[in-house]
Amino acid sequence: MLVRSEPFTEVNRLAQQLFGAPSTGTWSRPTAMPADAYRNGDEFVIVFDLPGVDKDAIDIDIERNVLTVRAERRPIDLGEQAQAALTERPFGVFSRQMLLGEALDTDRIDATYQNGVLALRIPIAEKAKPRKITVGGHAEQEHKVLDS
């Protein structure tokens, strides 16, 4: 259903966790966003954490089964008098690409955004769903024709 296509994203994420340095993503070097993916019945669900991101700052594209999600979180305007005492929340550009399998109906993706969580629901394609094949009586007649 899903193929991980960004090996360096995982390396960057681990480095951020190990060294504790929040990075500021740019359009040319975006920061990875955390995601979960799972199958739920006849749909595949991918959930992204994007706290503090405005809904209008989220861009979702799909091209040749490659899903790209980009978002931008801008720093809060603290005013001229404010002096930062602690700054751990990352800001900037976040991006994630995922290669979706052929078993998904990428023409019918549904996206919702609530409480800083972007959820994409992708139906399983009809051709990929299990189906019953019934055995008919025509095979015996075809067999007789072939033996003649």
Side-chain angles (χ1 to χ4, degrees):
M1 298 282 172
L2 176 70
V3 179
R4 287 184 173 231
S5 62
E6 295 179 295
F8 295 109
T9 298
E10 289 300 311
V11 172
N12 288 339
R13 187 181 59 77
L14 290 172
Q16 286 176 3
Q17 287 178 343
L18 288 174
F19 301 115
S23 65
T24 300
T26 63
W27 286 105
S28 60
R29 294 194 87 169
T31 303
M33 64 183 78
D36 291 334
Y38 56 92
R39 183 172 178 165
N40 185 15
D42 284 344
E43 67 181 3
F44 193 71
V45 182
I46 306 173
V47 182
F48 300 91
D49 279 348
L50 294 170
V53 173
D54 187 71
K55 181 175 121 177
D56 295 332
I58 300 172
D59 185 41
I60 306 167
D61 291 315
I62 186 132
E63 183 179 347
R64 294 186 176 182
N65 284 10
V66 176
L67 173 72
T68 303
V69 178
R70 286 183 169 253
E72 184 175 10
R73 178 172 42 209
R74 295 188 172 97
I76 297 172
D77 183 15
L78 301 174
E80 293 179 23
Q81 299 292 323
Q83 294 180 354
L86 179 67
T87 55
E88 293 180 344
R89 298 175 60 233
F91 62 91
V93 179
F94 299 85
S95 180
R96 191 73 183 257
Q97 282 190 319
M98 296 181 176
L99 179 60
L100 303 178
E102 296 292 327
L104 299 176
D105 186 353
T106 56
D107 291 332
R108 295 182 20 215
I109 295 176
D110 177 55
T112 57
Y113 185 65
Q114 185 175 10
N115 298 327
V117 177
L118 173 66
L120 302 180
R121 289 178 167 68
I122 310 164
I124 305 297
E126 288 299 320
K127 65 182 179 183
K129 291 180 183 177
R131 57 193 179 280
K132 267 301 202 201
I133 307 297
T134 57
V135 178
H138 299 294
E140 186 176 315
Q141 290 175 355
E142 290 175 12
H143 183 59
K144 287 181 184 177
V145 172
L146 293 176
D147 288 341
S148 308

